[in-house]
Structure formats: structure tokens, C-alpha cells
Amino acid sequence: MSTRSITLGIVGDSAAGKTTLTRGLVRVLGEDNVTHVCVDDYHRYDRKQRAERNITPLHPECNHMDVMAQHLAHLRAGEPFLKPVYRHEDGSFGPLVRVDPKQFAVVDGLLGYYTEELRRLYDVRLFLAPPEELRRLWKVQRDCSRRGYTTDQVLAELDRREPDSEAFIRPQQRYADIVVSFLPTGSEQDRLDAELILRPTLRHPDFGSVLDGEAAETGIRISEVDGETHLRIPGRLDPERARALEEMIWGGLHFASHLRSDRLGEFTIGTDLHRSESLALIQLLTLYHLFTATASVALGAEGARTPEPEQVAS
């Protein structure tokens, strides 16, 4: 009998930071323990066909949404499957690859929460929602340095995709357990503030218990809005304060203490290695929920999610 994978979803628009967040999680969990699936591999048309049809990859009709849901159901159930491969380098499709589920699954891409059938396949749902000016900057930097585009080409494509971003991608954040927005603070990308919306669909650590009235002093802002916790973490958070928050989260993960790592929060700009305290805390919070779900499933429950009223994607 197969053992089901604990499944993390990371959804957001192109260049929203999905890879940066994912890379640190996989490093801590161990590559041998994580299966990665990008749902953008399920495009229905290659780049040439999309141009002929004047459709963007953000449109649900440009993707095999039914096959995507079938495969993610196999993934969650711990069953192998053959996955399509979309090659971003030239916009073509490669040969199918076999996916063998492992203890954890990380599923990222553009349309991962678009249907109810997809949404119920995750144990933890994150949505990355950086301000558009920051995402456009990241998109230009990535596509020019790694995919061979010019700045003008990238900006023109962003403008062409904007109606579909507004219609299909950004509305999915309403279905996330955690919405993460990295916010620019001057020119220092390793000092980005982070703004989190923590929804009651998961039982989150009690950040207020650690701050204990010191939120303003640390630069952290915490508030309750319509049953959601809004948490602002400054990019220049004092490392000692960051450690206190990390210790509080690790305290709820005593059974996973062997995974403690100083490498949370690491990312690269070009070839230079940087560390962000706000990124480290978000990655640790994500690990907390993955292991809470793991413990819940081990005890015979379906997972750690709390019941929620389902909504229909518009």
C-alpha cells in the first residue's frame, strides 16, 4: 500500500519568487524526500501554437487542467505517473518523465488553485503576491539573464499577459492558507520586508505570544482582520529577534528538530549568496505546517486543515 505525500502548493504569477522559496525548503527537507512538480508543464500548446491562437499560458484553456488534477491526485496518493515536460528555453515539449512520489511533494505554478478539484489536493497552500513593480523587475532580470530575452520583449509580454493575470492568476490568492508579499525597501533585495496573511484554515503558531507587546519595538506589525492574522516582518529585523521567533516555531516541531538549519533564508542574486531573515521565517513557517500535517496523517487524520466554505473560481 502506497503512503500518501504531504503536499505543498506554491502558486503565483511568473517570477513571483516561487523557485527562491522552494529551493530553501527542498534543501532542508532533503532532495531525496521531496518530489517537485511544476503545473506549468501542463500547457496545452507550445509557444508557436500559442502565438497562432493569440492565447497566453495563463489562460486555463491553454492548459490540460483535467490531466493536472488527475496527476496531482496520484501524487498525493503516493502513486507514480508520467508527467509532461514544457521546456521554457525554446517553448517546446520534451518527452514524458516518470514521477515517483516521496514523503513530501512541492507543487508550484500559475494555476494550481484554479479549480476546487485541485485545491482539495493540498495540505498547505501558499500564494506569492509581490507588488507588480517588483515582480516585473524580477521577471526582467530572470528572463534576460537566463532565457535570452531583451528587456523590451519581456515588458511587452508582461503587458500582453496582464488581462489574464488579473482574471485568472491573482484571484487564486483567496484560496491560500498563507499569502506572502515581499515588499521592496530601497535597493537591497536581501532586505525585503514581508507581509503575510495567515488564514484560519490552518492552525498557525502564536506569534503574538513571543512578541508580547514588543512588536512595535522590533518593527514587526501584527493585527487581526476579519479572522485573519496580518503579519509584517521587516527585512532589517534584528537577528536576535528573528531567532526568538524561529525558536518559538521550532518549539512546536520537537519531532523535526533534526532538520534545524542555518541555511533557511539563503538565496542568490547572480552568483552571490545572500540571506534574508524574512524569507527564513516564511520557509520555517511552511515547514511547521508540513510537519504538522505529517503528524496529523500519521495519527490517522486526513490532514491538518480546518473545514472551510468552498468558493468557485471566477
Side-chain angles (χ1 to χ4, degrees):
M1 180 178 175
S2 57
T3 303
R4 90 161 179 85
S5 294
I6 302 300
T7 306
L8 166 68
I10 304 179
V11 170
D13 213 333
S14 180
K18 298 186 289 292
T19 301
T20 298
L21 181 62
T22 301
R23 190 178 290 131
L25 294 171
V26 173
R27 193 160 46 223
V28 173
L29 293 170
E31 290 192 17
D32 292 342
N33 299 317
V34 182
T35 301
H36 175 242
V37 172
C38 179
V39 295
D40 300 342
D41 282 324
Y42 291 83
H43 292 335
R44 187 182 298 272
Y45 308 118
D46 63 23
R47 189 172 293 158
K48 181 173 181 292
Q49 291 169 325
R50 293 198 304 270
E52 292 168 351
R53 290 167 171 77
N54 191 30
I55 192 171
T56 82
L58 285 65
H59 200 295
E61 291 182 6
C62 189
N63 293 268
H64 292 288
M65 302 298 296
D66 52 347
V67 180
M68 186 192 303
Q70 290 168 10
H71 285 186
L72 293 192
H74 285 306
L75 181 68
R76 180 181 172 93
E79 302 163 352
F81 57 94
L82 291 175
K83 184 183 74 64
V85 173
Y86 178 77
R87 296 188 284 220
H88 288 279
E89 309 80 54
D90 60 7
S92 67
F93 294 106
L96 299 176
V97 297
R98 177 183 165 110
V99 174
D100 289 295
K102 301 172 184 174
Q103 180 181 2
F104 298 100
V106 176
V107 178
D108 63 32
L110 296 167
L111 289 163
Y113 306 152
Y114 188 72
T115 68
E116 179 181 345
E117 185 179 10
L118 284 167
R119 292 192 291 275
R120 64 171 179 253
L121 295 172
Y122 301 95
D123 292 286
V124 183
R125 302 182 207 146
L126 267 67
F127 188 94
L128 300 187
E132 276 300 289
E133 63 271 17
L134 183 61
R135 186 181 74 85
R136 289 171 74 94
L137 171 64
W138 287 346
K139 175 84 168 163
V140 168
Q141 289 174 339
R142 185 194 69 188
D143 286 6
C144 291
S145 64
R146 299 182 196 170
R147 299 184 180 174
Y149 292 96
T150 66
T151 299
D152 286 346
Q153 286 174 323
V154 179
L155 293 175
E157 181 66 8
L158 279 165
D159 290 341
R160 193 173 79 86
R161 291 182 175 197
E162 172 53 28
D164 284 352
S165 288
E166 182 178 7
F168 305 117
I169 309 303
R170 293 198 284 271
Q172 291 177 86
Q173 67 181 282
R174 78 185 73 166
Y175 305 116
D177 305 306
I178 304 171
V179 178
V180 178
S181 300
F182 287 106
L183 307 171
T185 53
S187 61
E188 297 179 275
Q189 290 202 41
D190 55 347
R191 292 286 188 265
L192 293 176
D193 288 2
E195 200 163 78
L196 278 64
I197 299 174
L198 308 178
R199 297 203 168 112
T201 45
L202 292 177
R203 191 185 297 275
H204 302 284
D206 184 4
F207 288 96
S209 67
V210 175
L211 297 171
D212 194 25
E214 297 181 5
E217 178 187 334
T218 62
I220 295 173
R221 296 206 299 268
I222 186 169
S223 60
E224 298 292 326
V225 181
D226 296 330
E228 302 173 344
T229 299
H230 289 226
L231 186 66
R232 175 79 174 245
I233 304 170
R236 292 186 170 278
L237 181 64
D238 177 70
E240 288 298 313
R241 300 292 185 185
R243 296 291 174 272
L245 286 169
E246 289 176 9
E247 287 298 324
M248 180 270 293
I249 298 173
W250 279 117
L253 289 176
H254 49 86
F255 50 87
S257 58
H258 60 288
L259 291 173
R260 279 179 179 259
S261 171
D262 292 331
R263 301 198 63 188
L264 286 174
E266 288 185 354
F267 66 101
T268 55
I269 300 177
T271 57
D272 297 329
L273 185 67
H274 297 259
R275 187 177 193 279
S276 162
E277 296 291 355
S278 54
L279 176 61
L281 281 166
I282 291 163
Q283 289 172 330
L284 180 53
L285 176 62
T286 305
L287 290 172
Y288 173 90
H289 286 302
L290 289 177
F291 279 100
T292 300
T294 300
S296 180
V297 169
L299 292 172
E302 179 60 25
R305 304 185 59 79
T306 58
E308 59 183 316
E310 280 294 351
Q311 299 164 293
V312 179
S314 55

